[in-house]
Amino acid sequence: MNLLFWGLVTGIFFGFLLQKGQVLRYDKQLGALRLSDFTIVKFMLSTVIVAMVGIYFLHDFGLVALKPKTTALGANIIGGLIFGAGWGLLGYCPATAVGALGEGRWDSLFGIIGMLFGAAIYAEVYPALKTNVLAWGNLGKITLPGVLGINHWIVIVVLIIAFCSLFYWFEKKGV
Amino acid sequence: MNVFKLNSWSPYVAGGMVGILICLSVLITGKYFGASTTFVRSAGLIEKVFAPERVEKMDYFVKKKVRIDWQWMFVVGVFFGSLLSSRISGDYRKTALPPMWETRFGPNRARRWVIAFVGGIIAMFGARMAGG
């Protein structure tokens, strides 16, 4: 019960910030895919920078657990390509489709219904995929610092420099 | 000046604040953000109305546990958070067609609905295959 309450509260804050960041818009999402408006990228990479520093800081003190997802090359690459094609058509991702509906963009409703069908279809074919595509190139729960064999703070600093350089370039280009 | 009444915040600021929100969420409940599994659970809940025994036997639904959980409430929260933000600022607007879409494909709504629906099916299938 308590966990359900936290889910709702966290979601409300998240939805609020997504709306304020203007990332719940088809035009912004397509803008990123068409390389003409990088609002989404600025938003996401800012989230990554702060969360990456915060989570690893808390982890160093033993306060939180890292939960990396399994890297399975077949599933990640093929699934990613399929997702990208669908995202380009819909113009919203799963969470932003729900958020877009919240700010009145009701074309997203048809996307939400479509995504329910997509999930149902996936559940139907899952047994067939499990033994082939999903099993290809399974590397387990790897992380960048783990693979490189270096301290995580080195990776974090390098990524922050890379992301901030990108921000600098976006602002200079005015995209 | 009331910042909550502004139509938009810098994406760097709003995005950075989501980063803080993730840290707090993981610290308090251990939950990282995600949304797409909620569509699996919702599809399962709907199918359960028509064929409960079938849903109980399906591998994927068994694996993902068809129930209302933290993430399900999180996704509901996203809707209300966005509604709240856009109502406070006055940015809320019933919009049938995205401006960029209308410029390119014209005012036909049904065309947008079909593409959004098909796009949704494809996007969610891929998201589930890739793992979220």
Side-chain angles (χ1 to χ4, degrees), chain A residues 18-36:
Chain A
L18 289 171
Q19 205 282 327
K20 283 280 179 266
Q22 297 192 316
V23 295
L24 300 172
R25 302 173 177 205
Y26 174 95
D27 287 29
K28 294 287 186 186
Q29 307 215 9
L30 264 288
L33 295 176
R34 298 173 74 186
L35 309 178
S36 61

Side-chain angles (χ1 to χ4, degrees), chain B:
Chain B
M1 189 181 62
N2 186 342
V3 290
F4 295 104
K5 288 199 169 176
L6 291 174
N7 272 348
S8 72
W9 295 351
S10 153
Y12 299 116
V13 174
M17 288 175 76
V18 171
I20 296 171
L21 188 64
I22 292 173
C23 294
L24 289 173
S25 174
V26 175
L27 188 61
I28 296 169
T29 61
K31 294 290 182 188
Y32 287 87
F33 290 10
S36 65
T37 316
T38 290
F39 288 81
V40 175
R41 299 200 176 104
S42 301
L45 286 170
I46 295 166
E47 284 185 49
K48 236 174 152 172
V49 175
F50 304 101
E53 5 9 75
R54 191 165 176 275
V55 170
E56 271 159 40
K57 280 195 206 107
M58 283 174 66
D59 270 12
Y60 200 58
F61 286 138
V62 171
K63 187 180 166 196
K64 295 297 174 187
K65 300 189 181 76
V66 176
R67 60 188 161 85
I68 289 174
D69 66 340
W70 178 91
Q71 196 198 82
W72 205 93
M73 295 302 288
F74 173 77
V75 173
V76 170
V78 168
F79 171 83
F80 286 106
S82 166
L83 182 67
L84 187 70
S85 170
S86 59
R87 284 291 186 184
I88 291 173
S89 64
D91 198 26
Y92 181 92
R93 206 146 287 131
K94 262 212 175 122
T95 318
L97 292 173
M100 188 188 280
W101 171 280
E102 201 169 355
T103 305
R104 179 66 180 81
F105 300 110
N108 185 339
R109 291 183 180 185
R111 183 187 291 184
R112 170 64 186 146
W113 296 343
V114 170
I115 296 299
F117 177 74
V118 173
I121 293 176
I122 299 170
M124 185 52 64
F125 190 93
R128 289 327 307 160
M129 184 187 277

Side-chain angles (χ1 to χ4, degrees), chain A residues 120-133:
Chain A
I121 295 168
Y122 187 79
E124 295 296 329
V125 300
Y126 174 74
L129 295 176
K130 197 164 63 170
T131 48
N132 49 71
V133 182

Side-chain angles (χ1 to χ4, degrees), chain A residues 2 18 27 29 31 37 41 44 60-61 70 76 103 125 133 142 146 155 175:
Chain A
N2 202 17
L18 289 171
D27 287 29
Q29 307 215 9
D37 179 338
V41 181
M44 288 199 308
D60 281 353
F61 285 91
T70 300
N76 295 154
E103 63 168 348
V125 300
V133 182
I142 55 170
V155 178
V175 286

